[in-house]
Amino acid sequence: MPGDRGVRGRSDMVHFPFRSCAAAVLLAFLAAGSCGCGTIEDEKAESVATLAGAAGGTGYFDGTGATVRFASPLGVAAIGSNLYVADNTNHVIRKIDTATGSVTTLAGSFGASGSTDGTGSAARFKSPGGITAVGTTLYVCDTGNHTVRKIVSTSGAVTTVAGSAGNAGSTDNTTATLVRFNSPRGIATDLAGSALYVADTGNHKIRKVVASTGATTTYAGSGAAGAGNGVGTAASFSSPEGVACLGSYVYVADTGNHTIREITPSGAVGDVTTFAGTAGVQDFTDNVTGSLARFFSPSSIAAIGTDLYVADTGNQVLRRIDASAFVTTLAGGALAAGHVDGAGAAARFNGPKGIGTNGTYLYVADTQNHAVRRVTVAGVATTLAGNPPQAGTIDGSGTSARFRAPAGAAGLGDNVFVADTGNHTIRKITSAGTVTSIAGYPGVSGFADGTGTSGRFTNPQGIVEVDGVFYVADTGNHAVRKVTSAGAVTTFAGSTSGTPGLVNATGTAARFNTPKGIASDGVSLFVADTGNHAVRKIVMATGVVTTLAGTGAAGFGNNPTGTSASFNSPEGIAVIGSNLYVADTGNHAVRKVVNSLAAAVTTIAGADAPTAVSGYADGSGTSARFSSPRGIAAVGSVLYLADTGNHAIRRITTAATVTTFVGDPLAATTRDGEASQALLNAPTGIAGTSGTIWFTDVNENVVRKVLY
């Protein structure tokens, strides 16, 4: 496991209330049946395996093959046989060796946004976008920092060419640090490599930057959104995102206008005309010339020979425009998002946003597939790196099954039941990995009581089993639903019309706001009422709903009286004896709530009130650090935390000692095997019994188990 990279806070420990072995045995009996004394504190994970679903999706991992992950790649540039990718959401620049398929990180640090100049992992970016190459030098639109950055590809050394990090604006200046951009997204270079042309998206302009000095001028665009042709600032664009150079001409993917614009030099500025498409008209029209063609939010553009190639993002295709402005489709099916390698119309993309070339091939940042594709000039598409999401609604066994962002899990015997959030269903998985849907209509949200597919949910998340019956936090419907093993769905508490609120009452007269977590002690249900920043209690025999803790407003405060304490978007909840343990997601902490009239609230692990601090650190009590923990489960006297932002499952003992059970905060992918080698990708839902932990890797659309 990586060393402590979190920020340490208070050194005093907050202990669980059970200090003797006898008490631990009693606690375990109450929570899970029975437990061997003297061993539970020392249990270690042995292995991790995927129970059902096929891995793939957004994440981060260097290497080769199926475990490589990107997160919304936006820009691609080629130098020789290497590709360089602006991995937008990961805030890094990645390198792909096209000969071997090996992916490495050239500059930046996974998940760490910033604006630092430096070499390799010491550098920081914030949502980098477009990227271009001049010789062995890369230039990057560091979109979130409003700057243009330079990277030496052979060393990873990063410097700022123009702009001031964090300072948006539209200032031209000969002094690089006084220049201002506003969310620049596209960049290209002239043939000499001396001038950079930047699609300054937020300013609706095309800017010209002297590569050697950073001196910047406005080449075209008034600064106000529009579609006017003209010279220099007399012209107007609408959120242009892509730019390419072809000879002395500059071509622009004018995203908001759904057009391709041409800029010819006119002294120190450019003369703008509309080359293809019609401003303000989004559609798909092919095999026509110029203004008769239709595009849908084209976002990047590249040139090979005399032809232009466009990532027509909204239409999910790559287009080709020849010198006469005749427009055809190179690859992809219009409005048919997906991931298919193949030729021409048989290929599929999902939100392609970046396109680059080495003069022979096109390289595409297939953004919503979180992959990098190679496309020949004949239109044959293949996947170079990344593993697209394998989301779906398929019942089946093992890897043939499909889920969509499952976020809740509950165990019953050898089976695990899953709140398949994106599919709006409740699914059952046997110990052999066979998946069946027991309630809800796959892919269809709604609100209806009924049996099987007649029942309707909207983004259900938390799920708990009590005496063979399941209670579900029906998040989007602001309700708690009851589901029998036969799939009969009824509304147990909360609105029957999807109305949010914070009302203590009985049954359907009560109101919740986006509840996400649910647990039970066998007598009552306890709800992490996320949108109300509160912990709610439902007496199962009567349906009476009360607020145990939380004020209804986001905050971070402990208090001997629960209703005076505050939480920030709590998403998970677990029960041990007479205490509740809450994954206080927005505060990056685990809180304890006493299930009593006073409902005292304390912080047992993670940063302590009043300051929420995310990070990663094993340790005792409030010296430990978490990052957006979402799920929590109790097995005997031990808590297991789905530390979502750290891509790990953490273990918290009765002494509030936090260790990493499995996972690595420096990687986000799915890799099975021995616990020391296994990797996770945003674990969210979690449940367990003695010897087994089940969890959902929400970014990967899989359900996995840990044996210990």
Side-chain angles (χ1 to χ4, degrees):
M1 284 293 128
D4 176 356
R5 65 185 185 103
V7 179
R8 295 211 175 256
R10 287 175 46 186
S11 60
D12 54 311
M13 283 191 0
V14 181
H15 294 284
F16 285 179
F18 302 96
R19 305 302 300 148
S20 70
C21 182
V25 172
L26 173 62
L27 183 81
F29 175 79
L30 290 170
S34 63
C35 170
C37 186
T39 61
I40 195 165
E41 301 294 318
D42 302 320
E43 289 169 336
K44 304 291 185 183
E46 294 179 357
S47 63
V48 180
T50 299
L51 186 62
T58 182
Y60 173 83
F61 194 66
D62 285 336
T64 58
T67 55
V68 169
R69 296 289 184 275
F70 298 87
S72 302
L74 287 188
V76 185
I79 298 177
S81 62
N82 295 320
L83 298 182
Y84 297 88
V85 180
D87 196 3
N88 178 264
T89 308
N90 283 327
H91 311 293
V92 294
I93 307 301
R94 313 282 290 279
K95 174 183 174 181
I96 305 173
D97 183 334
T98 60
T100 65
S102 176
V103 177
T104 54
T105 299
L106 176 69
S109 180
F110 164 49
S113 66
S115 60
T116 307
D117 286 345
T119 299
S121 60
R124 293 291 182 272
F125 300 88
K126 186 175 182 181
S127 304
I131 185 170
T132 191
V134 179
T136 59
T137 301
L138 299 164
Y139 293 93
V140 180
C141 283
D142 196 3
T143 307
N145 280 322
H146 314 291
T147 57
V148 174
R149 312 288 291 280
K150 173 183 175 180
I151 310 174
V152 179
S153 66
T154 53
S155 67
V158 179
T159 53
T160 300
V161 174
S164 176
N167 295 308
S170 60
T171 306
D172 290 332
N173 207 287
T174 56
T175 301
T177 56
L178 298 179
V179 171
R180 295 293 181 267
F181 300 95
N182 188 350
S183 303
R185 294 188 183 177
I187 190 166
T189 180
D190 64 5
L191 287 175
S194 58
L196 304 171
Y197 293 90
V198 177
D200 193 5
T201 308
N203 282 322
H204 313 289
K205 291 181 177 182
I206 305 302
R207 312 285 290 280
K208 184 177 181 179
V209 181
V210 178
S212 60
T213 67
T216 300
T217 56
T218 296
Y219 193 59
S222 65
N229 293 324
V231 177
T233 57
S236 56
F237 302 88
S238 179
S239 302
E241 294 189 14
V243 61
C245 294
L246 183 54
S248 61
Y249 293 78
V250 175
Y251 292 89
V252 178
D254 195 3
T255 309
N257 280 323
H258 313 289
T259 56
I260 306 302
R261 313 290 290 280
E262 180 184 75
I263 310 177
T264 60
S266 178
V269 296
D271 186 355
V272 181
T273 56
T274 301
F275 190 62
T278 296
V281 181
Q282 65 177 50
D283 204 342
F284 177 80
T285 304
D286 224 6
N287 296 307
V288 292
T289 299
S291 62
L292 297 176
R294 295 292 181 269
F295 300 86
F296 185 178
S297 300
S299 60
S300 62
I301 188 167
I304 297 178
T306 59
D307 290 335
L308 297 171
Y309 295 88
V310 178
D312 191 5
T313 307
N315 279 322
Q316 313 291 348
V317 296
L318 304 185
R319 313 288 288 277
R320 175 161 47 202
I321 311 175
D322 70 14
S324 69
F326 189 75
V327 179
T328 55
T329 296
L330 178 70
L335 298 174
H339 177 264
V340 178
D341 286 339
R348 291 292 181 270
F349 302 89
N350 190 356
K353 286 205 124 186
I355 189 168
T357 181
N358 63 355
T360 302
Y361 295 107
L362 295 166
Y363 297 100
V364 180
D366 196 2
T367 305
Q368 294 308 309
N369 275 325
H370 310 289
V372 177
R373 315 284 291 279
R374 180 170 63 192
V375 184
T376 70
V377 292
V380 178
T382 54
T383 300
L384 277 182
N387 193 350
Q390 304 294 313
T393 60
I394 300 171
D395 285 344
S397 294
T399 57
S400 67
R402 293 290 183 272
F403 301 87
R404 193 177 300 277
L412 178 59
D414 291 332
N415 301 319
V416 60
F417 291 78
V418 174
D420 192 5
T421 307
N423 280 325
H424 315 291
T425 56
I426 306 302
R427 316 280 293 276
K428 174 184 175 181
I429 311 173
T430 68
S431 58
T434 300
V435 180
T436 53
S437 298
I438 65 170
Y441 198 99
V444 178
S445 64
F447 191 102
D449 290 341
T451 299
T453 56
S454 296
R456 293 287 190 277
F457 303 89
T458 299
N459 298 318
Q461 294 206 26
I463 182 170
V464 66
E465 178 268 334
V466 182
D467 296 329
V469 175
F470 296 92
Y471 295 86
V472 177
D474 191 5
T475 306
N477 285 322
H478 313 289
V480 174
R481 314 291 291 284
K482 180 178 179 180
V483 184
T484 70
S485 58
V489 180
T490 54
T491 302
F492 189 67
S495 172
T496 58
S497 61
T499 303
L502 178 55
V503 178
N504 292 324
T506 299
T508 56
R511 293 292 179 267
F512 301 88
N513 187 352
T514 322
K516 292 187 177 181
I518 191 166
S520 178
D521 62 358
V523 176
S524 299
L525 298 172
F526 303 96
V527 179
D529 194 6
T530 308
N532 282 321
H533 313 285
V535 175
R536 313 288 292 283
K537 177 179 179 178
I538 311 173
V539 178
M540 296 176 69
T542 63
V544 172
V545 179
T546 55
T547 300
L548 269 182
T551 63
F556 194 5
N558 297 319
N559 205 283
T561 303
T563 53
S564 298
S566 53
F567 302 84
N568 188 353
S569 302
E571 294 195 22
I573 192 165
V575 182
I576 297 179
S578 60
N579 296 314
L580 311 177
Y581 296 91
V582 179
D584 192 3
T585 308
N587 284 323
H588 314 289
V590 175
R591 316 285 293 284
K592 183 180 83 173
V593 182
V594 178
N595 179 21
S596 67
L597 188 62
V601 177
T602 53
T603 301
I604 67 149
D608 201 3
T611 304
V613 180
S614 66
Y616 172 76
D618 287 340
S620 295
T622 55
S623 69
R625 290 292 179 268
F626 309 105
S627 178
S628 303
R630 294 180 61 186
I632 190 167
V635 180
S637 59
V638 174
L639 294 168
Y640 292 89
L641 183 73
D643 192 6
T644 309
N646 280 322
H647 310 287
I649 293 174
R650 314 290 290 280
R651 189 175 188 270
I652 310 174
T653 69
T654 55
T657 299
V658 178
T659 54
T660 299
F661 195 56
V662 67
D664 184 339
L666 299 179
T669 188
T670 288
R671 185 169 70 188
D672 291 336
E674 293 183 5
S676 61
Q677 299 298 313
L679 297 172
L680 320 183
N681 195 350
T684 300
I686 190 166
T689 188
S690 181
T692 305
I693 299 294
W694 296 286
F695 67 96
T696 65
D697 252 357
V698 74
N699 281 354
E700 301 272 348
N701 303 296
V702 295
V703 180
R704 304 171 74 194
K705 65 179 180 181
V706 185
L707 299 180
Y708 67 96

